[in-house]
Amino acid sequence: MDLELSDDQVALRDGIASLLAGRFGSDRIRAGFDRVMWDELAAAGVFSLGADGFGWADRVVVFEELGRACVPGPLVAGSLAHGSVEGIVGGVDRAAAGEVAMVEHLDALDRVLVLDDDGIAAVDAAAVDGDPSPWPLDPLTPVTRVASLPAGERIGDAALARDWRRQGSVLTAAFALGLATRGTELAVEYAKGREQFDRPIGSFQAIKHLLADMLVRAEVARAAVYSAGAHLDDPELPGLDRSIATAKVLACEAAIVNGKSATQVYGGMGFTWEVDVHLYLKRAWVLDTHFGSVEHCSDAIAKSLPSR
C-alpha cells in the first residue's frame, strides 16, 4: 500500500489549507460554528467530496487540514449525510435506557441523525428538547443533554449505520491527526521564540524530548490514518475494522497527549484563554468520545487478534 500523497492529493491539501488560512483565522474559529461557516465550507466542496469523485483517502487529507485549523461544527456528520439529508446535520448515537444523549451544536442544526441498532433516523432538530450545558468541555462545541430522542424518519438500515460508523471513525481520526500536528507546530514555534537564561527554551534537552515525542506520535498516527483511509477505498481487503480502530486509537491519543505536551511547553501561558493550544486539547478530548474512545477501540483491536 502506497501511503505517499499523490500530486492530486498534495494539490487538494494545499488548496484546502489555503482556504482555511484565508477565511478561518483564529478570531473566526474562536467565534464558533454558525450557518455562514457551514455554507462557506459547503461551497468549497468540503461536504460533497464523495459526490465529486474523491475517495476516502482524499477525504482524509481534507479533514486533517480541518483539524489543523481546529474548525468547529458537525463536519463529519455533514460529510457522511451529504446527498441524503438537506440542511445542517449533526449526529449522535441513541442512548441506552436511563442514559442521556449529548447532542452537539443543537441550536445550529436543522436535523439530528440518530444511529442505533436498527439503522439511521433523521430527527427534526426543533423537536429535540434538552438542557444546554453551561460549561461544555470544548467551548467551541456546545452540548445539549437530551433525555429522550424522538423516533424520527428512518433513512438508512443497520448496514448503512455500520458503514457510517466506520467512515465517521476515519474522518474523526483524520481531524484528530490535524489537531496533533498543529499542536506540535505551535509548541515548536513557541520553543524557538521563548527565551530563558538568554537561550531559546527549545535548546533545553527536556523541551527537545517533549517536541521529538510529539512529532513521532503525530507521524505514527498519520501512517495509521492514511492507511485506514486507503482501506476504506478497498473495503474487501481483510482487517478493515482493525485498521480503522488502530487509526482512531493512535490519532486521538496523539491529539490528546500532544495537546497536553504543547500546554506544558507553553508553561503558564498554555493555561490562558488567549493562547490557542487549549482549544486543540479540548477538541481532542471531545473527539475521543466520538465513534468509540481510545479504550473502546483498543478493546476492539484486542478482540480482533487471533487467540493463541
Side-chain angles (χ1 to χ4, degrees):
M1 183 179 293
D2 182 5
L3 298 181
E4 291 290 332
L5 297 185
S6 67
D7 290 343
D8 289 342
Q9 288 172 328
V10 169
L12 179 64
R13 179 198 64 190
D14 293 347
I16 189 69
S18 176
L19 169 80
L20 295 173
R23 298 187 185 179
F24 297 94
S26 180
D27 290 344
R28 179 79 184 279
I29 296 299
R30 283 169 172 264
F33 174 74
D34 56 27
R35 190 170 294 272
V36 174
M37 182 177 288
W38 176 276
D39 290 342
E40 287 190 46
L41 292 172
V46 167
F47 305 125
S48 59
L49 289 166
D52 293 335
F54 292 97
W56 290 105
D58 305 318
R59 278 180 262 191
V60 160
V61 173
V62 172
F63 270 76
E64 180 184 355
E65 292 304 314
L66 293 169
R68 283 187 71 245
C70 205
V71 177
L75 309 182
V76 171
S79 179
L80 297 177
H82 179 77
S84 301
V85 181
E86 296 295 327
I88 301 178
V89 298
V92 66
D93 278 309
R94 191 177 297 280
E99 298 182 1
V100 298
M102 307 296 283
V103 181
E104 300 173 357
H105 301 284
L106 178 59
D107 288 346
L109 301 181
D110 296 311
R111 308 271 271 180
V112 180
L113 304 180
V114 183
L115 281 69
D116 55 30
D117 293 339
D118 296 326
I120 305 167
V123 174
D124 186 345
V128 178
D129 187 27
D131 298 319
S133 171
W135 295 102
L137 176 59
D138 173 12
L140 303 183
T141 307
V143 175
T144 301
R145 296 165 58 87
V146 178
S148 178
L149 286 162
E153 174 192 1
R154 188 65 61 183
I155 64 168
D157 59 13
L160 183 61
R162 180 202 60 198
D163 290 343
W164 278 24
R165 285 193 173 95
R166 286 172 168 169
Q167 296 155 1
S169 292
V170 174
L171 295 184
T172 301
F175 195 103
L177 169 61
L179 295 176
T181 302
R182 185 57 183 156
T184 305
E185 294 168 350
L186 288 171
V188 170
E189 291 169 8
Y190 185 76
K192 287 180 176 178
R194 176 76 166 90
E195 292 190 357
Q196 191 64 268
F197 307 111
D198 297 325
R199 295 169 54 188
I201 63 171
S203 65
F204 298 118
Q205 192 173 48
I207 301 295
K208 287 181 182 177
H209 285 183
L210 277 176
L211 299 175
D213 287 343
M214 292 172 72
L215 176 63
V216 170
R217 219 174 277 122
E219 290 304 314
V220 171
R222 177 171 288 104
V225 172
Y226 284 9
S227 175
H231 211 148
L232 271 182
D233 286 325
D234 201 353
E236 298 305 318
L237 290 175
L240 174 61
D241 288 322
R242 185 162 62 192
S243 170
I244 292 172
T246 301
K248 183 71 166 49
V249 167
L250 291 175
C252 284
E253 193 170 64
I256 292 171
V257 179
N258 281 12
K260 292 179 180 177
S261 296
T263 304
Q264 187 174 353
V265 170
Y266 271 76
M269 287 290 293
F271 291 90
T272 62
W273 173 255
E274 290 77 11
V275 174
D276 284 345
V277 290
H278 72 97
L279 298 176
Y280 286 79
L281 175 57
K282 291 169 181 173
R283 187 69 57 79
W285 277 328
V286 169
L287 292 185
D288 185 45
T289 68
H290 296 181
F291 302 106
S293 65
V294 167
E295 290 76 15
H296 174 86
C297 293
S298 296
D299 287 343
I301 295 170
K303 290 177 182 177
S304 73
L305 298 175
S307 57
R308 298 181 66 182

